[in-house]
């Protein structure tokens, strides 16, 4: 169930329960809000020691991920994951379709060993023009991805 706020000023806004989309947001803004919400809900905290410089194979996966996002190459993005649902693919497709001129920066990368796997935490900064409104957008979110060995390389997974 979602909580919604009216379109009035913050001092007079009242919170009410609502089941439909927020009346003041464009479809693109709703997609961005959904991505941010899902990302924040899926964050995982780790108490392990963190490495500030990721090993070369981990850096390679992150760079492929970044470039695939900028190129809007869904097939390459899917190939970087152990599993990628049709629902995830559709949500990412909608986000990428709305993000004209997308540039992606990954910063503040840390790596925490998890047995054979690693937890990679980073800040992702997306800059793009919202296709619907024509307005420049900036999205910044802190993410944690789990990478597991896969043959000669690494793949992103949802969990261990």
């Amino acid at each position: 169930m979602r909580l919604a706020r009216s379109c009035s000023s913050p001092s007079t806004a009242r919170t009410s329960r609502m089941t439909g989309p927020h009346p003041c947001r464009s479809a693109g803004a709703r997609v961005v809000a959904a991505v941010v919400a899902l990302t924040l809900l899926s964050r995982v905290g780790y108490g392990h020691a963190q490495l500030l410089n990721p090993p070369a194979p981990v850096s390679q996966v992150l760079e492929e991920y970044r470039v695939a996002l900028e190129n809007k190459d869904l097939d390459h993005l899917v190939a970087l994951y152990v599993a990628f649902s049709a629902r995830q693919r559709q949500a990412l497709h909608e986000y990428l379709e709305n993000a004209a001129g997308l540039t992606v920066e990954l910063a503040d990368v840390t790596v925490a060993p998890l047995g054979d796997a690693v937890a990679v935490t980073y800040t992702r900064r997306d800059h793009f023009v919202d296709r619907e409104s024509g307005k420049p957008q900036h999205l910044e979110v802190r993410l944690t991805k789990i990478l597991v060995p896969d043959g000669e390389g690494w793949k992103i997974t949802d969990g261990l």
Side-chain angles (χ1 to χ4, degrees):
M1 193 168 302
R2 287 179 20 163
L3 292 179
R5 295 175 198 239
S6 70
C7 296
S8 58
S9 68
S11 62
T12 61
R14 299 170 79 181
T15 302
S16 63
R17 294 196 187 272
M18 172 174 114
T19 57
H22 192 288
C24 301
R25 289 190 185 143
S26 70
R30 287 191 302 271
V31 170
V32 170
V35 169
V36 170
L38 290 172
T39 300
L40 293 174
L41 289 173
S42 67
R43 287 190 60 202
V44 182
Y46 299 95
H48 301 283
Q50 294 188 340
L51 308 173
L52 295 178
N53 295 319
V58 171
S59 293
Q60 180 182 343
V61 171
L62 290 176
E63 181 61 11
E64 285 184 50
Y65 169 79
R66 187 193 67 73
V67 170
L69 283 168
E70 285 189 346
N71 292 335
K72 301 181 180 185
D73 186 347
L74 279 174
D75 291 333
H76 193 94
L77 280 165
V78 169
L80 294 173
Y81 284 78
V82 171
F84 204 88
S85 72
R87 190 174 192 183
Q88 286 174 296
R89 187 180 181 107
Q90 181 61 33
L92 187 56
H93 171 76
E94 289 174 15
Y95 175 74
L96 294 174
E97 282 297 308
N98 184 60
L102 177 64
T103 60
V104 178
E105 175 191 0
L106 304 180
D108 307 320
V109 179
T110 58
V111 178
L114 296 171
D116 290 340
V118 293
V120 181
T121 302
Y122 56 90
T123 301
R124 177 174 147 191
R125 296 183 184 108
D126 292 6
H127 297 272
F128 59 93
V129 174
D130 179 82
R131 201 172 294 283
E132 187 174 307
S133 71
K135 294 181 180 177
Q137 302 294 317
H138 172 81
L139 172 69
E140 183 171 312
V141 64
R142 188 88 177 140
L143 298 167
T144 297
K145 302 280 187 187
I146 308 296
L147 275 64
V148 294
D150 182 67
E152 304 238 350
W154 292 81
K155 287 214 176 194
I156 303 167
T157 187
D158 289 332
L160 297 175

